[in-house]
Amino acid sequence: AYPLLDQTGSAINILLCMISGELVLALTVLQLLRFARRTADRSSLAGRLDRYADILSEGNPEPQSCDRGPGRAVSALQLFNLFDFFRGYIKDRTMYYLDPNIVRPLCAKYELSYAERAGPHQVQWFVSHFWG
């Protein structure tokens, strides 16, 4: 009865379908970008761990187990180098982050402590900590 109105209604429906399709596409792309950023963050830590493992291997090419005690210490310089290398990931976090995310992955291949992996030193001062 009203052909002009029918044509206009169809055109509006087509336009609305196109807009909603573009909106869905934009939201999908946004989600993919967020996922890519999270994956890149994780893989960048993995790459950083690989690079630091190479550095540790240069300084201690054949890490070995040693007896617990004063000969199984980490030097202040070793701790500083570890912190400095991973500063962007550590930020203001504690050892509760550092241990499972950085220290253990660096030592897992050898099943050794960090001191043994990095090259143990004779202790000069003993500093203890409380994990509880």
Side-chain angles (χ1 to χ4, degrees):
Y2 300 100
L4 184 60
L5 184 59
D6 287 343
Q7 289 175 354
T8 305
S10 294
I12 289 174
N13 285 337
I14 291 171
L15 183 62
L16 288 175
C17 285
M18 289 174 56
I19 290 171
S20 64
E22 289 176 8
L23 182 61
V24 168
L25 179 62
L27 290 173
T28 302
V29 168
L30 182 62
Q31 287 296 86
L32 287 173
L33 289 172
R34 286 182 181 165
F35 175 76
R37 182 179 298 149
R38 281 193 306 255
T39 303
D41 288 346
R42 276 191 229 118
S43 63
S44 66
L45 177 58
R48 202 84 176 133
L49 286 165
D50 289 343
R51 286 192 295 281
Y52 200 72
D54 291 342
I55 291 169
L56 290 175
S57 292
E58 288 173 14
N60 188 17
E62 296 182 26
Q64 297 177 4
S65 179
C66 64
D67 293 333
R68 291 179 179 211
R72 186 176 169 182
V74 178
S75 72
L77 180 61
Q78 287 172 310
L79 288 176
F80 175 79
N81 288 339
L82 177 72
F83 174 77
D84 192 49
F85 195 84
F86 291 101
R87 179 184 308 259
Y89 297 95
I90 298 170
K91 299 178 184 172
D92 61 350
R93 296 176 173 140
T94 67
M95 283 301 292
Y96 288 107
Y97 170 81
L98 201 72
D99 182 51
N101 293 291
I102 295 174
V103 173
R104 287 182 190 257
L106 288 171
C107 301
K109 176 181 173 182
Y110 298 96
E111 296 182 4
L112 298 172
S113 69
Y114 183 75
E116 293 164 321
R117 175 70 174 100
H121 292 275
Q122 184 68 27
V123 72
Q124 293 176 356
W125 298 281
F126 178 75
V127 178
S128 185
H129 55 81
F130 176 66
W131 283 86

